[in-house]
């Protein structure tokens, strides 16, 4: 059985270390940020979004746990907007060695049950286009595409001549 347990201070510290690095890599891979500036921009983004750390209002940070053997499987960060009755997943990660076993599906379903009890009517998230494994999971769970950004890399010439 999968449970979503509020992060401890220790878990939150580990979450930040991994997540800031991971987000920086994703943004650089997607071409949104230059590699050399990605880490600092990622750190600033986390500080902006979580100014009070794990105690930031309306933000819920969970450790995903296999209760049967008390094993940590990953993390989940969601923001709830009670006024609009919407929630947004900022980050969802299953440890790499635990992927492909249904834990991600169970964790999202556990989150949905929690949100429905709070009368939340919608759940959204962002996924990078190159993360096809995650896209397939979200589609299986009933998420629908609402926006698509596309980018093409160009080969700039060192000088323009007419």
């Amino acid at each position: 059985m999968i449970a979503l347990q509020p992060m401890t201070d220790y878990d939150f510290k580990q979450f930040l270390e991994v997540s800031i690095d991971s987000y920086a890599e994703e943004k650089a891979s997607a071409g949104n940020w230059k590699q050399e500036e990605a880490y600092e921009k990622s750190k600033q983004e986390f500080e902006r979004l979580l100014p009070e750390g794990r105690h930031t209002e309306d933000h819920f940070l969970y450790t995903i746990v296999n209760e049967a053997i008390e094993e940590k499987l990953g993390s989940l960060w969601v923001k709830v907007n009670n006024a609009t009755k919407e929630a947004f997943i900022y980050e969802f990660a299953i440890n790499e060695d635990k992927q492909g076993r249904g834990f991600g599906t169970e964790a999202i379903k556990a989150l949905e049950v929690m949100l429905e009890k709070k009368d939340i009517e919608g759940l959204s998230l962002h996924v990078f286009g190159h993360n096809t494994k995650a896209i397939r999971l979200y589609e299986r769970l009933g998420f629908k595409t609402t926006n698509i950004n596309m980018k093409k890399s160009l080969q700039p010439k060192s000088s323009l001549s007419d």
Side-chain angles (χ1 to χ4, degrees), residues 54-66:
R54 69 184 184 96
H55 302 290
T56 301
E57 187 175 6
D58 299 326
H59 289 259
F60 300 89
L61 294 113
Y62 299 104
T63 299
I64 302 165
V65 177
N66 180 341

Side-chain angles (χ1 to χ4, degrees), residues 4 15 20 40 55 58 71 78 94 99 102 123 128 131 135-136 151 155:
L4 303 179
F15 162 80
I20 290 170
E40 191 56 38
H55 302 290
D58 299 326
E71 178 182 33
V78 63
I94 298 294
Q99 293 178 6
L123 177 60
F128 288 99
N131 194 345
I135 292 168
R136 285 193 307 273
K151 180 178 181 173
Q155 302 299 316

Side-chain angles (χ1 to χ4, degrees), residues 2 4 13 19 28 32 34 41 44 50 55-56 58-60 87-89 94 100 110 119 122 125 135 138 154:
I2 298 302
L4 303 179
K13 184 176 185 247
S19 297
N32 302 123
K34 294 178 182 174
K41 284 189 171 195
Q44 289 170 1
L50 295 170
H55 302 290
T56 301
D58 299 326
H59 289 259
F60 300 89
F88 184 85
I89 296 173
I94 298 294
D119 292 326
L125 55 82
I135 292 168
Y138 300 137
L154 302 176

